[in-house]
Amino acid sequence: MFRCRAAYCAVLAAAILFFIFFKEYLAFFTLVLILILPFFSWLFLVLAVRKTTAELAAQNVTPYKNQEFSLYITLKSASAFPLLRAKLHFSCVNSLSGERQEQTLFTPVNARSEQTAEYRMQSRYCGRITVKLTQLQYYDPLGIFQISRKPDLRAECFIAPRVHPVDSSIDMTAAAGTESNTYSEEKPGDDPSEIFDVRAFRSGDRLRSIHWKLSSKLDELMVKEFSLPVDSGILVLLELLAPDMETLDALMETAASLSHFFTENRIIHRIEWYGKEEDRLHTSLIQSDEDLASLLNSLLSAQSYREEPYVLKSRSKTEQDAGSFSHAVYITGKLTEALTELCDRPNGEKITVLFVGGETDDEQLRLADALRAMNAEVATVHPEKIQQCLSGLIL
């Protein structure tokens, strides 16, 4: 923009000199034309901006970290006047890490056209990337004036953690679980001890599910839907406590790989994590990879923390309502004193601590030894060797 203004001033100065030294109509009309040209350029800019709209969309894929994905910016102009260009300012925020980046893109705006610009992006870390168009600047044909707009446009893309194949053994005693006393309020199941809902009979329903007494009253076949237990023998506690982004990335990949390993072996398990925005503990029952994929969207939208082990502290407050387990796998980027309460299990439940990061000091080593003395299994997971570290464990 500075160059355009400097160029116009140079042309204007030349026209003035031409008018001074050459007292002719041509010099006069040349000077008048150059003087009024910015006014018409500004008028074209105002009219064009009024009839120009913008749209923002992200590519409908779920890439991994360091894998490119596309951002599409569409400018629709119904004006008969073209613009020199449009300058787009973006902010990209990773919800999981809090990392923020600013990006700028230039694109021309032709008259009566629809143009889509593709911007290739990538993220070094997994998480939910929210791209917001913070400012849109339009420039007149001469490049002298600009009009700024702040559109409320945003798009999202989830950067998925990599799932590593795990070659581990299964502790069938722990995987067998405990007797459930908590049931899902959203999905039916196969536990006949609790009725989830009663509905009309559909083709394919089992005869033993028919509610004969109610059917005789309503003169219509009614079927009982049984409840789905949400207690499981395996509990995965995901503590988003990490000193840096590399460790946080490894935490997510460890949790995803572990959950995939359980679903591959048809082991129902629960995953608990702390939502910092909601200030509460979340629990999700995982029965299939579809459940895991749905859960990952929530986990990638969560916020990490470096202060306290919020999962352990929240669970200690609601231990009676948190559901029973026979084996808890605690995944964290830092060992804390609060772990001793989790490992102190009078009923002999199995505890496995996966310490992600591998950077240990004297305090971390002392805590690890103390946890092992309480019969907890403590394993170190190095970010660059997740598959090797998880393989060989007894889960």
Side-chain angles (χ1 to χ4, degrees):
M1 190 170 180
F2 173 77
R3 292 180 182 178
C4 294
R5 289 178 176 176
Y8 173 76
C9 291
V11 172
L12 179 61
I16 293 174
L17 291 174
F18 183 54
F19 175 72
I20 293 175
F21 292 105
F22 297 92
K23 300 293 185 179
E24 308 233 354
Y25 285 110
L26 177 61
F28 173 74
F29 287 121
T30 300
L31 178 60
V32 172
L33 177 63
I34 293 176
L35 286 173
I36 64 173
L37 198 58
F39 170 75
F40 285 102
S41 184
W42 174 82
L43 183 62
F44 293 165
L45 173 65
V46 172
L47 295 176
V49 169
R50 287 182 178 178
K51 295 186 177 183
T52 302
T53 58
E55 294 179 358
L56 179 65
Q59 188 177 3
N60 189 23
V61 295
T62 304
Y64 295 107
K65 62 180 182 179
N66 296 322
Q67 184 178 350
E68 286 191 339
F69 63 95
S70 296
L71 187 70
Y72 299 101
I73 306 98
T74 302
L75 293 177
K76 298 179 181 179
S77 175
S79 171
F81 307 109
L83 298 177
L84 177 65
R85 63 180 178 178
K87 185 178 181 181
L88 303 97
H89 299 268
F90 299 97
S91 68
C92 309
V93 180
N94 188 321
S95 301
L96 185 62
S97 66
E99 185 183 34
R100 185 186 186 93
Q101 294 180 355
E102 302 292 336
Q103 303 285 347
T104 302
L105 179 66
F106 293 91
T107 181
V109 183
N110 297 325
R112 292 196 177 108
S113 66
E114 178 178 322
Q115 298 168 251
T116 299
E118 180 183 9
Y119 184 65
R120 305 288 292 178
M121 302 179 63
Q122 64 180 15
S123 175
R124 294 182 296 165
Y125 307 110
C126 63
R128 184 188 69 184
I129 307 298
T130 301
V131 182
K132 184 178 180 181
L133 185 59
T134 56
Q135 191 177 43
L136 185 56
Q137 295 175 307
Y138 297 100
Y139 294 87
D140 69 296
L142 294 180
I144 300 175
F145 306 104
Q146 72 171 35
I147 294 179
S148 297
R149 292 286 185 266
K150 291 187 177 181
D152 186 20
L153 297 176
R154 63 180 62 202
E156 291 183 349
C157 184
F158 290 92
I159 310 298
R162 294 190 181 276
V163 176
H164 302 274
V166 177
D167 183 16
S168 296
S169 303
I170 299 174
D171 187 343
M172 298 309 298
T173 304
T178 57
E179 185 178 352
S180 175
N181 54 12
T182 307
Y183 300 90
S184 172
E185 297 180 358
E186 301 175 356
K187 296 180 181 179
D190 298 315
D191 191 343
S193 62
E194 191 79 15
I195 295 178
F196 175 78
D197 193 14
V198 178
R199 57 169 175 79
F201 179 86
R202 291 197 294 257
S203 178
D205 287 337
R206 291 173 291 187
L207 293 178
R208 70 182 184 90
S209 300
I210 296 177
H211 197 308
W212 295 107
K213 188 174 182 179
L214 185 61
S215 298
S216 62
K217 287 183 179 181
L218 299 178
D219 198 22
E220 180 185 3
L221 284 179
M222 304 298 292
V223 173
K224 294 179 288 185
E225 285 189 327
F226 300 130
S227 293
L228 174 67
V230 294
D231 279 355
S232 170
I234 303 294
L235 171 64
V236 177
L237 299 169
L238 178 58
E239 189 79 81
L240 297 175
L241 177 66
D244 51 56
M245 272 310 301
E246 285 73 18
T247 302
L248 183 60
D249 242 19
L251 277 174
M252 297 298 295
E253 292 187 5
T254 300
S257 301
L258 201 61
S259 182
H260 177 68
F261 168 76
F262 286 138
T263 57
E264 267 192 329
N265 290 275
R266 299 183 180 180
I267 296 177
I268 298 176
H269 57 286
R270 285 178 293 142
I271 296 181
E272 291 186 1
W273 78 100
Y274 177 78
K276 198 171 182 182
E277 286 187 350
E278 305 86 357
D279 190 26
R280 71 181 184 91
L281 196 65
H282 296 273
T283 302
S284 183
L285 185 70
I286 307 298
Q287 302 182 84
S288 64
D289 282 337
E290 287 75 19
D291 294 333
L292 176 59
S294 177
L295 170 66
L296 282 177
N297 286 345
S298 299
L299 290 177
L300 294 173
S301 303
Q303 291 183 5
S304 61
Y305 40 87
R306 301 183 180 182
E307 309 87 23
E308 301 179 55
Y310 288 109
V311 169
L312 293 180
K313 293 199 171 185
S314 300
R315 188 172 176 81
S316 65
K317 295 177 183 177
T318 58
E319 184 71 35
Q320 294 180 348
D321 302 324
S324 55
F325 62 86
S326 56
H327 183 193
V329 181
Y330 180 72
I331 307 173
T332 182
K334 183 180 180 181
L335 302 179
T336 61
E337 290 286 352
L339 260 171
T340 56
E341 183 178 345
L342 175 68
C343 295
D344 184 16
R345 311 305 301 183
N347 297 325
E349 295 95 333
K350 182 178 179 180
I351 305 294
T352 298
V353 178
L354 298 181
F355 175 37
V356 179
E359 294 186 6
T360 56
D361 53 25
D362 292 340
E363 178 64 18
Q364 297 288 284
L365 291 173
R366 184 192 66 80
L367 283 171
D369 291 338
L371 296 175
R372 291 188 182 99
M374 301 176 71
N375 296 322
E377 182 179 350
V378 181
T380 301
V381 179
H382 299 280
E384 67 280 1
K385 298 180 180 179
I386 295 176
Q387 180 180 352
Q388 296 92 319
C389 294
L390 293 181
S391 297
L393 295 176
I394 301 177
L395 301 171

